[in-house]
Amino acid sequence: MDLQIIQKDLLEQYKMTVNEEALFTAFNQLEDASLSTDEFSFYTSVASVYSSKIEGESIELDSYIKHKRFRIEFQPDYTRKIDDLYLAYQFASKNKPDKKTFAGMHTILARHIVSTNWLGKFRNQNMFVTTKDGRIEIFRCFPF
């Protein structure tokens, strides 16, 4: 099945059927795993590791949990980008989703990936991802 863009009017229909207050109340009652502490979130670690794996990072969840929860040190290149994603997730959870927040998340997330003059900036050109044999796999246009 091919992915499709959902029509805008469906979002409005959804918003009319959902009790936002009840949704936010339920969301705010979610609890982290018992392994978590005030300084460490197990679920944020899981999300950071597996999101990073999509981008080609090779870190294992077990290693990252040891790094974050028990402060086990690894080579900086092994944990640096995942640490940035972890911090971006934390930043996102504490700030209202808007253009300024997205720019702030990008600044945190990409600080070890792109040059500093691109941090917090929105793209204005098309981007694509290629397969190992050079075919374009994903193509996106960013209209901001």
Side-chain angles (χ1 to χ4, degrees), residues 5-19:
I5 296 176
I6 297 175
Q7 298 173 8
K8 290 180 183 179
D9 62 322
L10 293 176
L11 176 60
E12 293 306 316
Q13 290 176 26
Y14 172 78
K15 287 167 64 175
M16 290 187 317
T17 62
V18 171
N19 179 333

Side-chain angles (χ1 to χ4, degrees), residues 19 28 33 39 45 59-60 65-66 91 95 103 114 116 128 130:
N19 179 333
N28 289 327
E39 298 84 32
S45 296
I59 196 164
E60 295 301 321
I65 289 172
K66 289 174 183 170
F91 179 83
N95 291 279
V114 300
T116 55
F128 60 89
T130 59

Side-chain angles (χ1 to χ4, degrees):
M1 175 164 66
D2 291 333
L3 293 176
Q4 298 178 3
I5 296 176
I6 297 175
Q7 298 173 8
K8 290 180 183 179
D9 62 322
L10 293 176
L11 176 60
E12 293 306 316
Q13 290 176 26
Y14 172 78
K15 287 167 64 175
M16 290 187 317
T17 62
V18 171
N19 179 333
E20 279 189 47
E21 188 176 323
L23 181 63
F24 285 118
T25 299
F27 183 78
N28 289 327
Q29 290 175 346
L30 293 173
E31 294 181 15
D32 209 337
S34 59
L35 182 62
S36 298
T37 66
D38 289 340
E39 298 84 32
F40 165 76
S41 167
F42 174 77
Y43 293 134
T44 303
S45 296
V46 171
S48 299
V49 166
Y50 287 103
S51 291
S52 296
K53 283 182 169 288
I54 292 169
E55 298 299 325
E57 295 299 318
S58 62
I59 196 164
E60 295 301 321
L61 179 59
D62 179 68
S63 297
Y64 193 69
I65 289 172
K66 289 174 183 170
H67 164 69
K68 288 302 281 185
R69 174 69 168 86
F70 303 110
R71 304 188 194 292
I72 304 295
E73 291 194 28
F74 292 92
Q75 292 295 320
D77 286 345
Y78 189 60
T79 58
R80 185 174 292 144
K81 292 177 187 172
I82 297 93
D83 283 339
D84 292 344
L85 180 56
Y86 184 98
L87 292 172
Y89 281 150
Q90 286 183 319
F91 179 83
S93 71
K94 295 175 184 170
N95 291 279
K96 179 182 178 185
D98 58 21
K99 192 172 183 177
K100 183 178 177 182
T101 298
F102 287 118
M105 289 184 316
H106 183 265
T107 299
I108 296 166
L109 172 67
R111 67 184 174 158
H112 291 105
I113 299 172
V114 300
S115 61
T116 55
N117 60 316
W118 287 103
L119 293 177
K121 304 279 192 310
F122 290 93
R123 291 183 186 139
N124 59 7
Q125 70 274 5
N126 294 330
M127 299 298 292
F128 60 89
V129 175
T130 59
T131 61
K132 289 181 182 179
D133 62 358
R135 291 181 300 126
I136 293 176
E137 182 76 19
I138 301 172
F139 182 82
R140 296 285 185 256
C141 177
F142 296 92
F144 319 140

